[in-house]
């Protein structure tokens, strides 16, 4: 029996179609995998189901109840028994498991508002038993593994459902070590055994093969292929996702360069600090090098070490043959290092300062001549940068916070690239950036690298990494454990290398 | 799965920047509304002044030169102290010790003069004490890591003890050189001489904030300390200097008070801290809305002075000024916060 049916769902963003008439049927008590490359419309489809970004046209039927897609609201989705657990877990690590569960539901409180901890914990115990989550109610949620935390989130999402529901898991395992993937997959199978249904969104084909009853592959806002259980093989899925292979190979080759000849400009030897225990590698001018690794592998920390934002405990760095001790951001900047942090709002943008001020903060000394800041020259330079970097803003005097995420990122990029850095460190450069700006940002990085700089880019989006980087370093447990040569650059290779699986049979 | 590019870097149009050029009307409208925001509080001040000049209850006295001299002269001390508090405030740090520093500087200098120390040395002693206290505040907040409110509150309390120990609670008068008293009480071109001192200090602070990289660093720190560190700003150094400047300026305010009163009253200093901080906070409501700034500080002081002076002349009971000052502070800062939010998110 079909528990969730989508018919002819469409959605446009500023006239650009994101969904072009999607049909989907999810059978009751089954795991239905939803697959596709980045920008294929998976996330848009999920948002339309959740009612947070309703579709333009089409119908959604849940448990026999029909909704017009544009009228879908989060409340409708909830009442119909649709539940969502996202990649970024909404766990409060410093609260107990019981408290985490109560936050989505309500507290067992007396008339005076006092919480009855005993019944609260008993309720949590029952819930955890019902779903088979291996934790104690009083335990701190942050102390359990990511797999268990995901299970807690699932239990929390499903706790107030009387009937069987549909759970959408959005890339649940993206930051999991392999052993925990097994735990979660077993949990999901058990879960559907109780009559619930699961829509399982993932990039990982091996998980689909192991857990799914059926798979739907999306591409360019359309459902491309349905694959039934008996056809679910790694090979079948990868062919379906890659699609007409020649076309995508064409784009990637044009974006990527052969490694430039010549000596290395950046040599790092045994760099350690924080979770990084000893990173050694060399980078040549003119290349964009990706840094692939799982969450917690030391990916972001390595960039911070190179910029001096995290103190190094050991190791040496050489830039253009000169030894450089990353003692702090100031020293790193003088050595020609630029760093664009992952969290733009917290670590890069000055929201209430103007675009012009944001552009010049890493260059302030330059316009300070004869005891004054040359405001006119500075403003002229800011206007030129806004033009050169395609920043969409009403003026350079507009506050940074009024710009979109992509445009803010371009301002941050311009702030650093105007310094002509030798080594450009980027951490998740296209996070929170729309697709158009993402391409522009990569284009700007490529342009800087063509002028002789070197870029080291850490990103969790391996598809993006495979598309835009020339080669990749793989960081595992704080060490550069592997390297992916230009010819091998693919999301799949990067993924398996990041996990330390040498080569999968495919 | 392999490379599956949904977008190509080649797709970037080099001319797309032109599409973002703002239309002339949008720019003009924005400019017009920003002038209104910037000048609303000064305009209100003028309206209030005009009202008191015309209102029969106060019109006999308000616009007399004697009253205006008192009105302006009485605010010069708090203005200089407020400019001192403004510097660390921009970087997000509250210095609650400015009032006590002013009092200490006045007492130390007055006692030195009474002991026959040369004028220049006595003044340097007062300013030096302010600088030293700024250094201590800076060390405790940036190196030991104690919150600035706590540090400077504790410092203010300690200084209160120092002042009372040194004076026995009795005002220090006598042996103040005539030149000092004349500067404090005399007028030049119809304005109290201390007003020119405020103008000089205000220009210096304005120059520092708007025309040197240091000022930029202060604002950057106040907006986003983490990002400031990551653009190479030496956070602890910038903050330390701001506390030292606050100490030096507060001490200068104390010396102005000494000149105006012809002596140092140990009980006066603490009373300056809150009005000075209030003016620094209120500075974000005008001239450059949403940002603490020099012009806004002076406007805030004038606004409150005109209002209080007029009500005083009208014979309202003294407690009225508490209502007025408190309400003006809350409303003004609420306005500034609203302007700041509106201007930094579309």
């Amino acid at each position: 029996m079909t528990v969730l049916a989508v018919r002819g769902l469409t959605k446009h963003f500023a006239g650009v179609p994101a969904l072009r008439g999607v049909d989907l049927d999810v059978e009751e008590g089954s795991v239905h995998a939803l697959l596709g490359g980045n920008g294929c419309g998976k996330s848009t489809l999920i948002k339309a189901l959740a009612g947070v970004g309703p579709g333009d046209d089409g119908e959604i039927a849940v448990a026999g109840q029909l909704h017009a897609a544009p009228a879908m609201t989060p409340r409708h989705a909830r009442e119909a028994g649709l539940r969502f657990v996202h990649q970024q877990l909404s766990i409060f690590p410093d609260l107990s498991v019981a408290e985490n569960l109560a936050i989505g539901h309500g507290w067992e409180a007396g008339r005076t508002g006092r919480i009855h901890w005993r019944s609260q914990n008993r309720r949590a115990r029952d819930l955890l038993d019902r779903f088979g989550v291996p934790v104690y109610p009083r335990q701190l949620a942050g102390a359990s593994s990511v797999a268990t935390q995901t299970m807690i989130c699932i239990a929390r999402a499903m706790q107030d459902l009387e009937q069987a529901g549909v759970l959408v898991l959005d890339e649940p395992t993206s930051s999991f070590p392999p052993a925990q993937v097994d735990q979660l997959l077993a949990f999901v199978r058990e879960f559907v055994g109780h009559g619930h249904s699961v829509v399982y969104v993932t990039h990982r084909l091996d998980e689909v093969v192991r857990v799914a009853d059926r798979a739907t592959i999306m591409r360019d806002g359309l459902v491309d292929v349905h694959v039934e259980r008996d056809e679910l093989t790694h090979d079948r899925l990868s062919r379906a996702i890659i699609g007409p292979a020649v076309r995508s190979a064409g784009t990637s080759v044009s974006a990527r360069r052969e490694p430039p000849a010549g000596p290395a400009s950046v040599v790092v030897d045994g760099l350690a600090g924080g979770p990084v225990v000893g990173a050694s590698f060399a980078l040549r001018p003119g290349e964009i090098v990706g840094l692939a690794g799982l969450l917690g592998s030391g990916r972001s920390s390595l960039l911070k070490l190179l910029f001096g934002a995290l103190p190094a405990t050991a190791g040496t760095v050489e830039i253009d043959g000169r030894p450089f001790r990353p003692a702090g951001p100031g020293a790193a900047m003088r050595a020609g290092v630029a760093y664009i942090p992952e969290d733009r709002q917290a670590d890069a943008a000055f929201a209430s300062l103007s675009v012009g001020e944001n552009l010049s903060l890493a260059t302030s000394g330059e316009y300070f001549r004869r005891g004054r800041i040359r405001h006119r020259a500075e403003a002229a330079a800011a206007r030129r940068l806004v033009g050169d970097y395609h920043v969409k803003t009403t003026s350079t005097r507009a506050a940074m916070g009024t710009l979109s995420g992509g445009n803010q990122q371009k301002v941050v990029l311009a702030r650093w690239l105007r310094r002509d850095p030798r080594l450009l460190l980027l951490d998740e450069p296209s996070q929170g950036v729309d697709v158009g700006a993402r391409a522009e940002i990569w284009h700007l990085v490529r342009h800087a690298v063509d002028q002789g700089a070197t870029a080291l880019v850490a990103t969790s989006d391996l598809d993006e990494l495979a598309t835009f980087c020339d080669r990749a370093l793989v960081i595992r447990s704080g060490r550069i454990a592997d390297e992916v040569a230009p010819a091998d650059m693919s999301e799949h290779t990067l993924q398996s290398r990041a996990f330390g699986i040498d080569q999968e049979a495919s | 799965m392999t490379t599956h590019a949904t977008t190509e870097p080649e797709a970037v149009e080099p001319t797309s920047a032109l599409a973002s050029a703002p239309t002339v009307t949008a720019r003009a409208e924005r400019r017009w509304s920003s002038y209104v925001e910037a000048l609303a509080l000064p305009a209100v001040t003028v309206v209030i002044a005009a009202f008191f000049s015309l209102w029969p209850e106060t019109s006999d006295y308000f616009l007399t030169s004697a009253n205006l001299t008192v009105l302006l002269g009485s605010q010069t001390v708090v203005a200089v102290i407020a400019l001192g508090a403004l510097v660390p405030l921009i970087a997000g740090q509250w210095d609650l010790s400015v009032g006590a520093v002013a009092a200490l500087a006045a007492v130390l200098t007055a006692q030195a003069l009474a002991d026959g120390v040369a004028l220049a040395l006595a003044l340097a002693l007062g300013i030096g004490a302010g600088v030293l206290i700024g250094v201590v505040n800076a060390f405790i907040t940036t190196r030991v890591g104690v919150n600035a409110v706590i540090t400077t509150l504790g410092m203010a309390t300690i200084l209160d003890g120092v002042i009372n120990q040194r004076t026995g609670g009795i005002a220090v008068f006598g042996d103040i050189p005539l030149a000092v008293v004349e500067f404090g009480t005399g007028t030049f071109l119809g304005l109290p001489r201390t007003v020119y001192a405020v103008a000089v200090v205000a220009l210096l602070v304005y120059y520092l904030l708007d025309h040197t990289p240091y000022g930029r660093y202060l604002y950057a720190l106040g907006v986003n300390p983490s990002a400031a560190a990551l653009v190479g700003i030496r956070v602890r150094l910038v903050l330390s200097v701001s506390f030292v400047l606050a100490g030096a300026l507060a001490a200068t305010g104390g010396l102005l008070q000494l000149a105006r009163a012809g002596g140092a009253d140990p009980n006066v200093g603490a009373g300056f801290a809150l009005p000075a901080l209030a003016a620094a906070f209120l500075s974000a409501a005008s001239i450059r809305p949403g940002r603490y700034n020099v012009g806004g500080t002076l406007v805030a002081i004038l606004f409150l002075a005109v209002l209080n002076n007029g009500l005083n002349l009208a014979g309202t009971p003294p407690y009225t000024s508490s209502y007025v000052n408190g309400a003006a502070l809350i409303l003004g800062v609420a306005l500034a916060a609203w302007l700041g939010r509106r201007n930094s998110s579309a």
Side-chain angles (χ1 to χ4, degrees):
Chain A
M1 191 194 123
T2 305
V3 64
L4 169 67
V6 176
R7 289 287 172 271
L9 185 64
T10 63
K11 174 84 180 171
H12 290 73
F13 289 112
V16 182
L19 295 177
R20 304 187 294 167
V22 170
D23 295 336
L24 183 71
D25 288 286
V26 176
E27 293 290 309
E28 191 170 3
S30 74
V31 176
H32 194 121
L34 187 59
L35 294 151
N38 268 350
C40 68
K42 276 180 315 198
S43 313
T44 313
L45 170 60
I46 292 167
K47 282 182 186 143
L49 288 178
V52 292
D56 297 336
D57 199 11
E59 284 171 348
I60 298 168
V62 197
Q65 232 185 328
L66 194 66
H67 296 274
M72 200 73 180
T73 65
R75 192 166 156 185
H76 285 143
R78 196 166 176 83
E79 281 169 358
L82 276 171
R83 294 291 183 274
F84 300 83
V85 170
H86 292 283
Q87 185 179 356
Q88 285 105 1
L89 293 177
S90 47
I91 277 276
F92 300 88
D94 296 330
L95 297 184
S96 74
V97 171
E99 286 169 316
N100 266 284
L101 290 171
I103 278 162
H105 175 78
W107 304 83
E108 302 282 324
R111 274 188 304 146
T112 57
R114 191 179 70 88
I115 296 170
H116 293 307
W117 287 109
R118 193 190 298 239
S119 52
Q120 187 77 52
N121 287 328
R122 198 181 318 116
R123 215 193 127 260
R125 179 73 274 162
D126 292 346
L127 191 63
L128 295 169
D129 284 345
R130 176 147 64 97
F131 289 101
V133 186
V135 278
Y136 298 107
R138 287 168 194 275
Q139 200 175 320
L140 283 189
S144 45
S145 68
V146 273
T148 310
Q149 289 182 22
T150 308
M151 296 176 205
I152 295 169
C153 284
I154 293 171
R156 179 168 68 188
M158 306 301 289
Q159 62 186 325
D160 56 350
L161 261 187
E162 300 292 333
Q163 79 280 25
V166 182
L167 173 70
V168 178
L169 284 172
D170 189 1
E171 306 209 23
T173 58
S174 59
S175 60
F176 277 30
Q180 295 190 23
V181 173
D182 295 343
Q183 280 180 38
L184 187 76
L185 295 186
F187 178 84
V188 168
R189 282 311 323 176
E190 177 78 28
F191 181 77
V192 294
H194 289 93
H196 298 298
S197 319
V198 171
V199 176
Y200 194 92
V201 184
T202 187
H203 276 306
R204 298 195 183 167
L205 305 188
D206 54 325
E207 287 173 19
V208 175
V209 173
R210 281 157 65 196
V211 78
D213 295 306
R214 191 170 290 101
T216 293
I217 291 122
M218 289 183 67
R219 191 211 312 273
D220 298 336
L222 276 173
V223 167
D224 210 38
V225 186
H226 280 295
V227 184
E228 291 297 321
R229 174 76 244 176
D230 44 7
E231 284 183 71
L232 270 181
T233 62
H234 200 289
D235 191 43
R236 173 82 181 82
L237 289 171
S238 53
R239 270 189 289 119
I241 287 170
I242 296 162
V246 190
R247 190 191 61 173
S248 67
T251 31
S252 62
V253 166
S254 67
R256 196 177 304 134
R257 308 285 165 87
E258 280 309 301
S265 59
V266 178
V267 181
V268 178
D269 190 25
L271 191 64
V276 178
V277 292
S280 304
F281 55 91
L283 308 172
R284 280 181 295 271
E287 62 176 353
I288 301 180
V289 179
L291 187 60
L294 303 175
L295 212 67
S297 59
R299 202 172 63 200
S300 291
S301 300
L302 178 58
L303 299 190
K304 286 187 187 145
L305 278 172
L306 285 168
F307 191 64
L310 188 71
T313 52
T316 59
V317 182
E318 232 175 63
I319 293 176
D320 294 327
R322 280 189 297 278
F324 147 62
R325 202 173 69 86
M333 284 162 69
R334 281 190 293 281
V337 186
Y339 170 58
I340 293 168
E342 174 180 9
D343 188 340
R344 185 173 51 248
Q345 288 316 318
D347 297 325
F350 298 89
S352 62
L353 298 189
S354 71
V355 169
E357 285 167 313
N358 269 278
L359 283 168
S360 67
L361 264 168
T363 341
S364 290
E366 202 174 298
Y367 292 97
F368 186 65
R369 285 196 211 105
R370 291 197 300 272
R372 294 191 56 216
I373 290 179
R374 301 290 144 184
H375 283 113
R376 209 167 298 162
E378 187 186 26
R383 279 194 297 275
R384 205 188 59 238
L385 286 168
V386 161
D388 287 353
Y389 287 80
H390 312 302
V391 179
K392 289 188 184 65
T393 174
T394 52
S395 96
T396 57
R397 285 159 58 182
M400 179 78 156
T402 62
L403 271 55
S404 72
N407 282 300
Q408 290 191 25
Q409 187 72 330
K410 284 187 257 177
V411 170
V412 174
L413 201 61
R415 173 197 294 169
W416 289 106
L417 290 183
R418 71 186 296 191
R419 293 175 53 88
D420 296 326
R422 297 294 300 152
L423 172 60
L424 178 62
L425 307 168
L426 298 119
D427 198 354
E428 304 285 355
S430 53
Q431 199 168 68
V433 164
D434 62 277
V435 176
R438 187 174 80 151
E440 285 185 82
I441 285 164
W442 281 105
H443 180 72
L444 293 166
V445 172
R446 175 60 74 190
H447 182 76
V449 160
D450 286 343
Q451 312 294 309
T454 305
L456 182 61
V457 190
T459 171
S460 54
D461 188 337
L462 298 178
D463 179 27
E464 186 176 10
L465 199 156
T467 309
F468 294 105
C469 295
D470 301 324
R471 64 185 177 103
L473 302 170
V474 179
I475 185 165
R476 275 200 304 267
S477 317
R479 283 197 172 77
I480 301 296
D482 207 343
E483 194 193 318
V484 180
D488 299 334
M489 288 285 276
S490 73
E491 184 180 356
H492 181 73
T493 318
L494 289 164
Q495 189 121 278
S496 53
R497 301 284 185 91
F499 280 116
I501 308 160
D502 273 343
Q503 200 52 271
E504 249 174 81
S506 59
Chain B
M1 55 197 97
T2 48
T3 52
H4 182 77
T6 49
T7 51
E8 306 174 24
E10 287 77 10
V12 177
E13 294 276 336
T15 52
S16 66
L18 291 174
S20 68
T23 61
V24 178
T25 34
R27 190 181 280 174
E29 250 168 48
R30 185 162 187 93
R31 196 164 286 174
W32 185 79
S33 75
S34 71
Y35 278 130
V36 169
E37 284 171 14
L39 298 176
L41 195 58
V44 170
T45 310
V46 170
V47 168
I48 293 172
F51 172 77
F52 286 128
S53 312
L54 299 173
W55 193 29
E57 294 278 327
T58 54
S59 58
D60 288 350
Y61 306 102
F62 186 80
L63 217 54
T64 61
S65 85
N67 184 54
L68 290 182
T69 305
V70 168
L71 194 158
L72 288 176
S74 65
Q75 299 305 316
T76 51
V77 177
V78 80
V80 173
I81 299 175
L83 291 171
L86 177 69
V87 177
L89 185 64
I90 290 169
Q93 306 292 323
W94 299 20
D95 188 341
L96 302 181
S97 68
V98 283
V101 169
L104 180 75
V107 164
L108 288 180
T109 301
Q111 287 185 333
L113 291 171
D115 292 344
V117 175
L119 177 60
L121 201 60
L123 294 178
L125 182 73
I127 306 274
V131 169
L132 183 71
I133 291 158
V135 169
V136 175
N137 281 337
F139 179 82
I140 297 173
T141 49
T142 64
R143 296 283 158 178
V144 184
V146 180
N147 177 295
V149 172
I150 310 291
T151 306
T152 55
L153 184 62
M155 180 59 78
T157 313
I158 292 169
L159 293 181
D160 196 44
V162 173
I163 291 162
N164 278 299
Q165 188 186 0
R166 289 196 63 105
T167 60
I170 299 158
V172 187
F173 283 100
D175 293 319
I176 309 295
L178 195 62
V180 173
V181 181
E182 271 182 353
F183 174 74
T185 53
T187 59
F188 177 70
L189 297 178
L191 288 173
R193 290 183 180 185
T194 47
V195 168
Y196 297 98
V198 174
V200 169
V201 171
L203 276 175
L204 283 175
V205 177
Y206 165 74
Y207 162 78
L208 185 78
L209 296 181
D210 276 34
H211 294 280
T212 68
Y214 179 77
R216 288 286 175 75
Y217 299 158
L218 283 176
Y219 282 108
L221 261 177
V223 172
N224 190 341
S226 163
L230 290 175
V231 292
I233 293 173
R234 295 166 73 185
V235 174
R236 287 194 290 204
L237 181 69
V238 170
L239 286 183
S240 296
V241 170
S242 79
F243 281 111
V244 173
L245 287 171
L249 288 171
T252 308
L255 298 182
L256 271 187
Q257 169 66 17
L258 173 68
R260 275 178 46 79
D265 184 338
N267 303 313
V268 164
F272 286 126
L274 290 180
L277 274 161
F281 278 117
L282 268 174
S283 71
S286 65
I287 308 300
R288 302 187 68 188
R291 253 184 214 218
Y292 301 121
N293 67 91
V294 172
T297 308
L298 299 181
V299 167
I301 285 173
L302 270 179
F303 167 71
L304 290 174
V306 166
L307 196 55
N308 285 314
N309 177 268
L311 291 172
N312 203 9
L313 291 176
T316 55
Y319 57 76
T320 317
S321 71
S322 302
Y323 291 109
V324 168
N325 291 343
L329 176 63
I330 293 171
L331 289 176
V333 173
L335 175 74
W338 180 72
L339 289 176
R341 263 201 311 278
R342 211 193 54 179
N343 291 342
S344 64
S345 58

